[in-house]
Amino acid sequence: MKRTLTTCPYCGTGCMFYLLVDDKDTLVGIEPSSEHVTAKGQLCVKGWNAHHFVNHPDRLTTPLIRKNGILEEVGWDEALDLVVSKLKQAQSAGGKDSAMFVSSAKTTNEENYLMMKLARAVFKTNNIDHCARLCHSSTVIGLMETLGSGAMTNSIDCMEKADCIFVTGPNTTEQHPLIGTRIIENVTKNGAKLIVADNRKIRLARLADIHVRWKNGTDVPFLNSIMNVIIAEGLEDNEFISKRTENYEELKIVVADYPPEKAAEICGITAQEIVDVARMFAAAKRAMIVYSMGITQHTHGVDNVKCCANLAMLTGNVGSPGTGVNPLRGQNNVQGACDMGALPNVFSGYQKVTDPDVRKKFEKAWRVRNLPGEIVHTVTTAINAAAEGSLKAMYIMGENPMMSDPDQNHVREALEKLDFLVVQDIFPTITSDYADVILPATTYAEKDGTFTSTERRVQRVSKAIEPINQSRPDWQILCDIAALAGYEGMKYDSVSDIMDEIASVTPIYGGISYERIDMIGLQWPCPDRNHPGTKILHVDKFSRGLGKFSPARYRPSVEMPDEEYPFVLSTGRSYFHFHSGTMTRRSQLLDREQRFPYVEISPQDAAEHAIAPGSWMYVATRRGEVKVKANVTDVAKKGVLFMPFHYKEGPANLLTINALDPVANIPEYKVCAAKIRKAQ
Amino acid sequence: MKVLVLTEQKLMEFLASARTAYDVRVPVSLHDGTRVIGRLGEGPLAIKGGAINQKITSIFFPHMETVLKCSNGGFESPEPAPKPMLVVGFTKQDADCLEFIDRFYNDKFRDDVYFNKRDNAVIVCVSGRCGANGKLLKVSGDNCDMELICDGQDYIVRAYTDVGKSLIEDIGSTEIVPEETLEQIEKESDQLCVEGLDLLNAASKLLLEDKVPDEFWQSISDRCIACTSCNLACPTCTCFDVFDRTNGCGIDRWRIWDSCQLDGFMREASGHNPMGQELIRTRRRIHHKLAADVTRWGHITCYQCGRCDNVCPTGIGIMSVCKEMVEKYG
């Protein structure tokens, strides 16, 4: 039996545990780390089962090339040669920006950095993005504009220090379980106030002092109205506002248009609920906002984020323990993938590609010329461009857009139209069904690297077993592709060397090295080798200098319920499964727990449609219809349906709408119009 | 009084020599300081520090293991280990837990996979002044083969079984320790755990008399996130699920720790689930050890090892729940 300390591959909480390996190099268990700052000897159910999928017989183990419509096993050389030649061919025909590189929040920082480098330095395009586009792109933009940094302002241990926690949009006990438990502990043991603003009666709502079940998509009027009350009742922190912020007058003008009575009507709640929330939040010495997809996944996602930041600044709740604006990152390394510049507009460390000086710096470091300065595609617009025929090739590493992007039929049409699609993954997916080349990658357990958790903590991922069969770590595949494409600057002896390069070009990671994060991670910004890391951002001044109030006005969601489609459909994750299910559905206990696609429906709605608990039913939108099991529960509000997107046989994203936030291009996963019928 | 006393260095030498005949497992400190029962040399010896956080009975009932192999039309049991194990690091409570699951796995249907490892294994308890933060660990007595009673620095060695005595003879030399040292440790040890046992007995009585209403269980289950850690850390939780996995030339049947806190644990193929509500599952977790087992085995099957209270992220381990229960309804 061998034990290897590593970081959990599921959510962004960043728990570390030991992988147990038997004498046959098979993963046979998990033991929590009792010393880890977040795990503290504890784990959630996914953490306890994070070893299970690794040795599953479905693993991709050999490179595959589609010949005459059939995938055939080939050697690595043949597969990689084809990838390079086809990508170059597509770019020759359609220009550099006719190829798209999709990086992955599941892979390591080093791999995201290399995918970004491959796209920019080798293939000379800024068409590099990843699934943060689908979850927190609105955070990155909204918090950058208001606070100057698009990350969680505080640390996980601050959850235990807040006097009031305002949870809006995450289901923490299911999606970031050990963060959720810190909230529960603070509420039940210390008597912290808890405000839950969520349409669903999530677990935290059972323990909340106030639970507001507003209409989906009315976040802006709700938050504006809270600020309206705070200002009207003189509960704002004037000293903080005058010393630390700018543009306050503009905020006052906008929120003045949202008195509680008016907002209550839009939100479908009472004015008193808004007043109660405002008073409770403003009265707390240390008040914290915790948000996630319920805020970000809207066509007004950036506006929602800015309103959260405005509320925190208005009450002086930024830059100290137990406060802050805390977006919870949903994947093990979605924070890191953003940090590494796997985004079209920035290099690593959020250094803008449009800045000529930044480009020069990277040209020098990478020993290349003419790095591109134009921003063309995000993940979501790339799919649109592929469907229109202007994007010719895609290289997808560790993502599954057929399951995770909105409007599956639209994605299918896009992938079918591509001249060339390469998918690099650990299991076959319904996205790889459309691939011309499939490259077998290793899981987290078979490689070294780092993940960055939601609290900006850069932590080690350590190899526990050898790569299974012919699978290879993503970073090695990327380096080989760069070399085959004629670039000499992506040759490394180890992943530690890659981190050293990242540190040399990325100021916020300047002090990170494998030696320093051997046992316990470091939180960025960590600018030099002597810096202890940063637990709380914006302590004395905001990353942008002054915090900027950026008020927003209400824009309704794109597709509201009507006579034909009377329900609101919202989508997300469940506790036992993760994203497109490739890992959790191959884990015995997790899959057993939730084996079938389902929809949460209120008891009233189910009764009105004669739908029995656990029976099959159909959910339809203007995009299609899906057969699911009825989970009849009071978690769901009357008129609102919730579906997880894990099931390929009942894909929620067949139903969702491809409507994007105009700034962040994030899809509106949380609101579209739906109808239901009983399955016969 | 003449007894065998070992310094940590001498103990290491003894354990190293025992490797000829045994697969020796000891408390070690891993890379980040986490203490587990591991192989000698896997990390620095870490006997001091109290009970190990991991499910101590995982030595014989691991998280996941093959239970049989199917190939060429036949079935094979896993090969028995080449050497029996010698395991150091059980506390008195851990040894009580082990004694119970030995009985459990031997009752009616003998679990060969478990006893492949358990048979001939030597259990060495640790007690005395080596608990967490210098606290005293209860002296085990005779529910193990050997015991190491720490006087704060060195270990007084006692053997209870023939195999234990034979091992001690191999060590040889003895030293004199002040009689009062051992007497004092045993006296202090006798005072321990009474309070905890009283609490469990009081809670057990309430459950057997059906005096705890559903609203109590609902309030506890509201705080349960179904992480399953309580079951996966508990040395007397023995439930497992099975699954099959192809291995290239056949099929392996595996078992993996299961948890009664999961909805799927007792869900029938029809969809009917006798434990389909959170509050029922939460109730079962406590009721099983404090009431159902009392009826079946004649005693409570929680031995107050404290693991579920340590590992539960929301503070609803068995002792915490019993405390709330007795305060409200006792």
Side-chain angles (χ1 to χ4, degrees):
Chain A
M1 187 79 75
K2 187 182 80 173
R3 293 175 172 87
T4 306
L5 181 64
T6 196
T7 305
C8 183
Y10 285 116
C11 78
T13 304
C15 300
M16 291 190 82
F17 53 57
Y18 284 88
L19 282 172
L20 308 188
V21 180
D22 71 8
D23 299 335
K24 291 170 189 158
D25 219 26
T26 301
L27 296 185
V28 289
I30 298 274
E31 272 167 17
S33 158
S34 60
E35 304 305 306
H36 185 249
V37 63
T38 306
K40 296 181 178 176
Q42 302 160 348
L43 287 175
C44 75
V45 73
K46 286 195 287 290
W48 276 110
N49 288 278
H51 62 294
H52 202 279
F53 65 90
V54 173
N55 293 97
H56 195 282
D58 286 353
R59 279 285 301 275
L60 288 167
T61 54
T62 314
L64 302 165
I65 289 180
R66 193 175 299 279
K67 295 178 179 173
N68 301 318
I70 294 169
L71 287 169
E72 291 184 12
E73 292 186 0
V74 296
W76 272 103
D77 290 346
E78 185 181 346
L80 296 186
D81 278 340
L82 187 66
V83 169
V84 172
S85 66
K86 285 286 188 181
L87 288 174
K88 284 190 168 178
Q89 195 179 317
Q91 286 191 315
S92 300
K96 298 289 185 195
D97 294 324
S98 62
M100 180 76 200
F101 294 78
V102 181
S103 200
S104 172
K106 302 308 299 167
T107 60
T108 63
N109 284 319
E110 292 76 4
E111 289 159 346
N112 276 284
Y113 175 81
L114 292 184
M115 188 59 143
M116 180 273 288
K117 189 174 175 182
L118 183 76
R120 292 188 163 122
V122 183
F123 288 94
K124 296 290 167 63
T125 176
N126 283 319
N127 281 353
I128 166 78
D129 204 3
H130 73 287
C131 66
R133 185 65 46 202
L134 312 175
C135 64
H136 270 296
S137 54
S138 30
T139 291
V140 175
I141 291 168
L143 293 190
M144 192 67 85
E145 182 179 323
T146 49
L147 311 182
S149 175
M152 186 168 162
T153 62
N154 287 51
S155 294
I156 292 169
D157 65 5
C158 282
M159 304 282 165
E160 299 159 37
K161 296 170 186 160
D163 300 310
C164 176
I165 306 173
F166 180 17
V167 178
T168 175
N171 187 0
T172 53
T173 58
E174 296 197 1
Q175 303 315 326
H176 310 87
L178 288 200
I179 294 177
T181 61
R182 302 283 148 76
I183 296 173
I184 291 178
E185 286 261 278
N186 195 2
V187 169
T188 57
K189 289 195 175 160
N190 307 330
K193 299 291 182 195
L194 177 60
I195 302 165
V196 174
D198 196 309
N199 200 297
R200 296 165 72 209
K201 192 177 173 186
I202 57 174
R203 182 173 303 282
L204 281 185
R206 303 186 204 173
L207 305 168
D209 294 279
I210 304 174
H211 177 206
V212 182
R213 304 183 83 173
W214 79 63
K215 285 182 189 169
N216 287 39
T218 59
D219 316 70
V220 167
F222 177 63
L223 292 163
N224 277 350
S225 189
I226 291 169
M227 290 187 271
N228 176 299
V229 173
I230 287 171
I231 294 170
E233 299 192 1
L235 303 173
E236 74 277 19
D237 185 337
N238 284 312
E239 191 184 344
F240 186 92
I241 294 165
S242 62
K243 284 186 180 166
R244 302 280 314 265
T245 67
E246 61 183 345
N247 210 31
Y248 179 49
E249 291 307 314
E250 185 67 24
L251 178 85
K252 280 208 292 193
I253 293 167
V254 172
V255 301
D257 288 343
Y258 295 86
E261 294 73 19
K262 179 181 165 188
E265 200 176 324
I266 301 169
C267 300
I269 54 177
T270 65
Q272 191 60 45
E273 286 178 281
I274 295 171
V275 172
D276 290 345
V277 171
R279 288 175 181 165
M280 186 176 281
F281 188 81
K285 191 176 172 197
R286 289 166 298 193
M288 162 185 279
I289 299 171
V290 179
Y291 78 79
S292 201
M293 306 293 92
I295 283 289
T296 60
Q297 290 180 329
H298 292 276
T299 48
H300 45 85
V302 173
D303 291 346
N304 291 353
V305 170
K306 289 195 290 194
C307 287
C308 289
N310 292 341
L311 175 59
M313 289 191 287
L314 181 68
T315 51
N317 279 305
V318 185
S320 55
T323 69
V325 186
N326 296 288
L328 301 181
R329 307 303 300 254
Q331 297 212 52
N332 54 326
N333 198 35
V334 69
Q335 182 64 57
C338 291
D339 299 344
M340 292 301 105
L343 297 168
N345 59 328
V346 287
F347 292 100
S348 57
Y350 306 97
Q351 300 170 85
K352 291 180 177 169
V353 297
T354 49
D355 183 336
D357 290 339
V358 170
R359 290 205 302 277
K360 266 185 207 160
K361 170 184 155 177
F362 277 89
E363 283 166 0
K364 191 177 168 197
W366 291 347
R367 299 190 302 279
V368 293
R369 289 181 183 174
N370 304 322
L371 285 174
E374 303 76 34
I375 302 162
V376 180
H377 283 308
T378 59
V379 157
T380 40
T381 63
I383 290 288
N384 293 345
E388 289 158 9
S390 59
L391 191 92
K392 301 294 182 190
M394 277 184 115
Y395 181 172
I396 299 175
M397 172 174 76
E399 296 219 350
N400 189 2
M402 277 290 289
M403 288 291 290
S404 58
D405 286 23
D407 192 355
Q408 189 183 73
N409 286 326
H410 174 65
V411 180
R412 181 181 290 108
E413 183 193 353
L415 297 184
E416 282 176 342
K417 274 199 180 168
L418 286 170
D419 290 343
F420 182 67
L421 173 63
V422 53
V423 172
Q424 184 169 308
D425 215 319
I426 57 172
F427 287 110
T429 64
I430 56 169
T431 297
S432 71
D433 288 349
Y434 298 88
D436 299 289
V437 177
I438 299 176
L439 304 176
T442 59
T443 67
Y444 76 109
E446 298 146 77
K447 65 186 173 188
D448 289 303
T450 56
F451 294 155
T452 303
S453 76
T454 188
E455 62 171 0
R456 299 169 276 102
R457 187 180 296 278
V458 187
Q459 309 189 108
R460 277 302 312 273
V461 174
S462 297
K463 184 169 135 179
I465 58 170
E466 290 301 316
I468 288 172
N469 208 319
Q470 290 186 54
S471 64
R472 300 182 65 202
D474 295 275
W475 69 272
Q476 291 179 2
I477 302 170
L478 295 169
C479 289
D480 279 0
I481 287 175
L484 281 170
Y487 178 57
E488 295 291 317
M490 266 172 64
K491 289 179 179 168
Y492 306 92
D493 292 332
S494 71
V495 281
S496 173
D497 292 346
I498 306 170
M499 180 50 81
D500 291 342
E501 180 178 316
I502 292 167
S504 72
V505 294
T506 313
I508 58 174
Y509 276 64
I512 307 284
S513 70
Y514 275 32
E515 194 181 8
R516 291 193 71 195
I517 60 169
D518 181 39
M519 279 194 282
I520 186 163
L522 278 168
Q523 289 172 277
W524 67 257
C526 179
D528 60 63
R529 293 288 161 113
N530 297 315
H531 194 283
T534 308
K535 282 175 73 74
I536 301 173
L537 299 178
H538 320 300
V539 172
D540 295 318
K541 69 170 194 173
F542 283 94
S543 301
R544 68 181 297 281
L546 291 174
K548 184 184 175 188
F549 284 108
S550 302
R553 292 184 184 277
Y554 174 53
R555 286 181 290 119
S557 304
V558 166
E559 189 181 66
M560 301 296 276
D562 54 25
E563 209 166 285
E564 189 182 358
Y565 293 91
F567 286 89
V568 167
L569 173 66
S570 179
T571 64
R573 301 197 304 218
S574 73
Y575 178 39
F576 295 94
H577 285 299
F578 193 80
H579 284 237
S580 61
T582 46
M583 302 190 301
T584 52
R585 297 200 73 193
R586 292 181 173 92
S587 300
Q588 173 71 11
L589 293 186
L590 301 177
D591 190 44
R592 184 193 71 183
E593 199 63 7
Q594 286 173 335
R595 189 155 282 174
F596 301 102
Y598 66 89
V599 61
E600 281 180 4
I601 179 171
S602 74
Q604 301 96 310
D605 289 328
E608 281 173 19
H609 288 78
I611 291 168
S615 65
W616 288 99
M617 60 179 279
Y618 291 97
V619 179
T621 67
R622 291 182 173 86
R623 272 70 58 194
E625 186 174 64
V626 166
K627 190 177 181 183
V628 289
K629 284 212 168 200
N631 180 6
V632 180
T633 169
D634 66 358
V635 171
K637 190 182 172 192
K638 181 167 167 42
V640 184
L641 308 168
F642 174 83
M643 272 179 72
F645 67 101
H646 314 301
Y647 301 91
K648 65 180 180 184
E649 67 275 34
N653 280 318
L654 185 82
L655 305 174
T656 48
I657 184 167
N658 183 28
L660 308 179
D661 179 288
V663 185
N665 286 341
I666 193 168
E668 189 144 67
Y669 289 116
K670 295 299 188 230
V671 181
C672 70
K675 62 183 176 184
I676 60 173
R677 68 187 170 95
K678 186 180 173 178
Q680 297 304 317
Chain B
M1 184 173 65
K2 278 188 107 179
V3 289
L4 176 62
V5 179
L6 294 176
T7 61
E8 197 145 297
Q9 179 59 35
K10 289 273 184 197
L11 178 62
M12 275 291 284
E13 288 169 14
F14 159 64
L15 294 170
S17 68
R19 282 193 293 190
T20 315
Y22 292 97
D23 176 359
V24 177
R25 308 292 177 98
V26 292
V28 292
S29 176
L30 296 178
H31 188 60
D32 69 346
T34 298
R35 293 168 66 240
V36 297
I37 303 288
R39 286 210 164 94
L40 203 62
E42 192 175 338
L45 197 64
I47 293 180
K48 297 186 177 81
I52 299 290
N53 280 340
Q54 80 191 101
K55 183 188 192 94
I56 193 82
T57 43
S58 66
I59 303 296
F60 307 116
F61 172 48
H63 194 167
M64 196 168 114
E65 65 182 330
T66 334
V67 291
L68 58 87
K69 292 170 179 292
C70 172
S71 59
N72 302 322
F75 293 97
E76 290 171 30
S77 293
E79 289 170 14
K83 288 180 195 172
M85 278 194 265
L86 184 153
V87 189
V88 181
F90 281 72
T91 63
K92 149 81 174 151
Q93 291 89 339
D94 294 344
D96 289 341
C97 293
L98 183 66
E99 187 183 18
F100 171 68
I101 76 162
D102 282 349
R103 254 196 301 152
F104 177 85
Y105 279 125
N106 200 30
D107 187 53
K108 297 184 180 112
F109 173 83
R110 183 179 161 87
D111 189 313
D112 288 340
V113 181
Y114 175 82
F115 284 104
N116 263 351
K117 292 183 280 291
R118 180 67 184 93
D119 281 344
N120 302 315
V122 176
I123 303 301
V124 181
C125 277
V126 173
S127 62
R129 303 193 198 287
C130 60
N133 305 316
K135 282 186 182 167
L136 192 80
L137 290 179
K138 195 168 175 65
V139 174
S140 179
D142 58 0
N143 63 348
C144 58
D145 296 291
M146 277 173 69
E147 182 165 16
L148 303 172
I149 305 170
C150 182
D151 66 2
Q153 184 167 337
D154 300 330
Y155 299 93
I156 301 161
V157 187
R158 271 183 175 173
Y160 302 108
T161 61
D162 289 346
V163 66
K165 285 171 186 164
S166 150
L167 280 162
I168 280 195
E169 278 170 20
D170 291 345
I171 303 174
S173 67
T174 57
E175 287 182 26
I176 301 207
V177 293
E179 202 161 322
E180 60 267 28
T181 303
L182 195 52
E183 274 183 10
Q184 183 62 29
I185 291 172
E186 287 185 312
K187 193 176 160 193
E188 287 176 38
S189 167
D190 288 343
Q191 311 289 321
L192 293 172
C193 293
V194 175
E195 196 183 320
L197 187 59
D198 288 348
L199 180 65
L200 287 185
N201 281 327
S204 173
K205 190 162 178 284
L206 289 174
L207 292 171
L208 288 165
E209 292 171 357
D210 202 15
K211 285 185 175 168
V212 186
D214 281 357
E215 67 185 47
F216 175 77
W217 297 114
Q218 186 61 57
S219 75
I220 300 295
S221 68
D222 283 346
R223 288 144 64 189
C224 174
I225 64 158
C227 69
T228 70
S229 302
C230 50
N231 297 130
L232 305 196
C234 175
T236 63
C237 275
T238 47
C239 293
F240 58 84
D241 190 19
V242 295
F243 64 95
D244 296 336
R245 186 177 267 181
T246 55
N247 68 7
C249 52
I251 294 171
D252 294 341
R253 171 153 292 182
W254 292 76
R255 68 177 170 192
I256 183 169
W257 290 345
D258 205 343
S259 166
C260 58
Q261 299 308 290
L262 295 175
D263 185 71
F265 181 75
M266 282 187 77
R267 191 196 304 129
E268 296 171 5
S270 67
H272 172 66
N273 193 345
M275 291 214 314
Q277 291 175 44
E278 286 173 358
L279 80 88
I280 295 176
R281 294 196 286 274
T282 297
R283 179 178 180 273
R284 177 207 155 94
R285 171 165 67 89
I286 312 296
H287 190 273
H288 191 89
K289 293 197 192 305
L290 300 189
D293 277 348
V294 172
T295 308
R296 179 178 176 188
W297 300 99
H299 56 81
I300 288 169
T301 55
C302 167
Y303 295 89
Q304 309 154 67
C305 76
R307 285 184 178 80
C308 61
D309 284 281
N310 287 339
V311 80
C312 176
T314 62
I316 51 169
I318 194 164
M319 298 304 280
S320 306
V321 171
C322 288
K323 191 162 176 284
E324 273 188 51
M325 189 196 306
V326 171
E327 278 171 6
K328 277 191 178 159
Y329 306 103

